[in-house]
Amino acid sequence: MRIGRKPASLLLISTFMLLAACGGDPSTDSGSQPAAVSEPSSTKEGKSEGKDTVALRIMWWGSQARHDATNKVIDLFEQKNPHIQVSAEYLGADGYWDKLNTLVAGGNVPDIIQLGNNYPDYVSRGTLLELDPYIGKPIDLGTFDEQIASTGKLDGKQYGVNMGSNALSIVYNTELIKKAGMEPPKEGWTWEEMEAYSKQLVGKLGKGYYAFADQSGFTHYLGHYVRQNGKALYNGSEIAFDEALGTKWFEMWNRFRQEGIIPAAAQSAAYLESTPDNSLLVEGKLAMLVIWSNQFVAFQKAMKDELQMIPLPAGGTENGMWIQPSQFMTINKNSKHPQEAAQLLNFFVNDPEATIILGSDRGIPGSTVVRDALKAGADPITLKTYNYLDVAVKHSREMDREMPNIQEWDTALRNSAQKLAFGKASAADAAAETVKAAAAAVSKSKSKS
């Protein structure tokens, strides 16, 4: 924790207690923690090495490992820039957006904000600073792949700095599959092959074991399925999938449940699988799970059995996968110190010491220089994530624009999936609800613009 390391004149922001997650992480990624820890949000202006002291606030979500690494980088930044004092506010994925939206509504937004691919929502709300005047100096994106650097652009203007890229993956427990006497799943398998494989797997493993989790309410997994069928959750102006396709998705998961290859509704509700702390995979009762590639290290370190990764099931008419920016660092449009905030952003993605500390927790870095340095020194577990991204690229195409107000849609999808699982709705009903929720999320966004 970073409490108590600032001068006594600083004010202490209270600690926030968080509830456990209700489903998959939007854009989201590496987990939630039981508590949010906040640093002081104000400081007296002073002098340091002849410069006026600048107070910055930064806010992010993530796991404890991310908190620890980011705080180390902030300490390093302050050592190298003693006139800048940074107050950190961090919490788990659950509750982050409610907290941020409260700060936006109250006009108390931190100088630097971690956002996902939903950053256009905050552009439309007038929250984010255009970064183009700061690109080049102090924010140097010269060593970034152009397609990665440009992910922070909206309508030709830069609003975010990409902190790393990810891809969805199926992780599988090699020891469980050996126990069943089966060969590992293969890259390029279809949905039908996955289902047949899973039925055979649970048959051999016996009662209490499952092939994979119920992830019918995982937005990005559904997005993969929709894209395979030549559609999109959102095409940049409107939703681009229908109830018929949604019904097929939910019917498939109903069948999986009836076949016993995923847990029953109550057990699925108890094991959220969004972090290693609440996971049947980690407990050795689940053979496979869909996660973002940057979550792989945390899951592997939480268990003894070896994990491996393969791409999501193939099928349909097009590639469903995509390479996704994991998070962006953005600057509050009303920051009193945008130059120093931009300096900190640059430090995160370019400083050699800082990038080693951060590693690939927020995804594989966009800078080729940083990426090569990390890959050369990567441990065997982390190296798997780098190698997997090379495989995932072969099964991917350009990502779609993220649906506006995706947190609302994500909640609605999880609720509809849970109703289906508990027998409170049919597949058609669940599909109708999710399509309606998607249309409402997009409509709400248009009404703000």
Side-chain angles (χ1 to χ4, degrees):
M1 295 184 183
R2 310 189 70 243
I3 292 175
R5 54 182 291 281
K6 301 292 186 183
S9 61
L10 297 180
L11 299 176
L12 183 64
I13 300 290
S14 60
T15 299
F16 299 95
M17 299 305 294
L18 297 177
L19 299 175
C22 296
D25 178 24
S27 312
T28 87
D29 72 320
S30 72
S32 45
Q33 294 296 306
V37 182
S38 297
E39 275 294 287
S41 62
S42 63
T43 186
K44 291 181 179 179
E45 295 296 320
K47 295 283 184 178
S48 180
E49 296 184 352
K51 297 181 180 180
D52 289 340
T53 299
V54 171
L56 295 177
R57 291 168 58 208
I58 181 172
M59 181 176 175
W60 71 86
W61 78 85
S63 65
Q64 189 60 48
R66 177 178 297 170
H67 301 336
D68 293 343
T70 307
N71 281 326
K72 287 180 182 178
V73 170
I74 290 172
D75 288 339
L76 182 63
F77 177 79
E78 289 179 327
Q79 291 169 20
K80 295 185 177 184
N81 302 274
H83 68 292
I84 303 177
Q85 296 181 344
V86 183
S87 299
E89 303 172 29
Y90 45 92
L91 52 159
D94 309 299
Y96 180 85
W97 302 106
D98 288 341
K99 175 63 178 174
L100 176 59
N101 290 334
T102 298
L103 293 174
V104 170
N108 190 29
V109 182
D111 299 273
I112 300 165
I113 322 156
Q114 179 178 292
L115 294 174
N117 287 288
N118 60 341
Y119 76 86
D121 291 353
Y122 293 87
V123 174
S124 67
R125 295 168 71 174
T127 305
L128 302 187
L129 179 72
E130 182 187 338
L131 300 181
D132 292 276
Y134 306 93
I135 300 300
K137 188 175 182 180
I139 303 175
D140 183 7
L141 301 182
T143 61
F144 273 55
D145 296 314
E146 172 56 31
Q147 64 269 33
I148 293 177
S150 64
T151 56
K153 289 185 176 181
L154 180 66
D155 298 329
K157 297 179 180 180
Q158 191 92 32
Y159 289 98
V161 174
N162 186 318
M163 296 297 291
S165 296
N166 295 313
L168 286 171
S169 67
I170 294 176
V171 295
Y172 63 87
N173 184 324
T174 60
E175 296 305 313
L176 274 188
I177 290 167
K178 287 177 184 177
K179 181 178 180 179
M182 295 176 63
E183 292 294 317
K186 303 294 184 183
E187 174 187 342
W189 64 348
T190 65
W191 288 96
E192 293 76 16
E193 290 169 336
M194 185 181 78
E195 184 174 357
Y197 180 94
S198 298
K199 289 169 68 175
Q200 184 181 4
L201 182 65
V202 295
K204 290 178 178 291
L205 289 174
K207 187 176 180 180
Y209 291 92
Y210 303 95
F212 49 93
D214 181 354
Q215 294 184 286
S216 55
F218 185 5
T219 289
H220 298 294
Y221 203 7
L222 173 57
H224 165 72
Y225 181 81
V226 165
R227 281 164 55 88
Q228 287 179 321
N229 288 275
K231 298 183 183 294
L233 295 181
Y234 178 67
N235 64 12
S237 59
E238 60 186 4
I239 61 168
F241 71 107
D242 54 28
E243 292 182 20
L245 191 55
T247 299
K248 289 182 179 179
W249 169 259
F250 286 120
E251 285 176 343
M252 179 176 68
W253 286 94
N254 246 354
R255 188 172 66 250
F256 293 164
R257 192 175 300 105
Q258 292 163 2
E259 294 169 342
I261 59 180
I262 63 174
Q267 193 168 19
S268 292
Y271 285 88
L272 306 173
E273 304 297 338
S274 58
T275 74
D277 301 327
N278 183 229
S279 170
L280 283 173
L281 179 75
V282 172
E283 290 187 11
K285 299 297 183 181
L286 193 73
M288 295 174 280
L289 182 68
V290 174
I291 63 172
W292 290 105
S293 56
N294 72 311
Q295 294 178 282
F296 180 83
V297 172
F299 273 91
Q300 180 62 89
K301 287 184 176 180
M303 56 193 295
K304 293 181 179 179
D305 292 351
E306 181 186 3
L307 298 176
Q308 294 286 0
M309 287 189 286
I310 59 170
L312 304 191
T317 59
E318 301 183 45
N319 283 338
M321 291 182 60
W322 65 96
I323 304 302
Q324 168 134 337
S326 57
Q327 291 104 35
F328 297 89
M329 284 297 182
T330 65
I331 298 177
N332 175 10
K333 186 175 183 179
N334 295 318
S335 171
K336 294 180 180 179
H337 306 289
Q339 186 72 23
E340 288 80 7
Q343 189 176 342
L344 179 54
L345 260 61
N346 182 70
F347 191 82
F348 276 126
V349 296
N350 285 313
D351 181 87
E353 293 178 83
T355 53
I356 291 295
I357 293 170
L358 293 174
S360 56
D361 176 77
R362 285 181 170 89
I364 296 177
S367 166
T368 56
V369 172
V370 172
R371 209 157 57 222
D372 290 344
L374 290 174
K375 193 170 185 178
D379 62 81
I381 296 175
T382 304
L383 188 59
K384 287 182 181 180
T385 67
Y386 286 94
N387 292 337
Y388 173 71
L389 201 70
D390 294 335
V391 174
V393 166
K394 297 187 298 183
H395 299 271
S396 300
R397 59 185 173 90
E398 183 179 354
M399 70 177 290
D400 298 323
R401 170 87 173 273
E402 187 161 280
M403 185 187 299
N405 299 303
I406 195 166
Q407 286 77 41
E408 295 180 17
W409 144 259
D410 186 72
T411 299
L413 174 62
R414 291 199 308 267
N415 289 342
S416 295
Q418 197 164 72
K419 286 181 184 178
L420 176 71
F422 280 98
K424 302 298 184 182
S426 67
D429 291 338
E433 284 184 5
T434 54
V435 170
K436 182 179 179 180
V442 173
S443 177
K444 184 175 180 179
S445 174
K446 290 180 178 178
S447 69
K448 291 178 181 178
S449 59

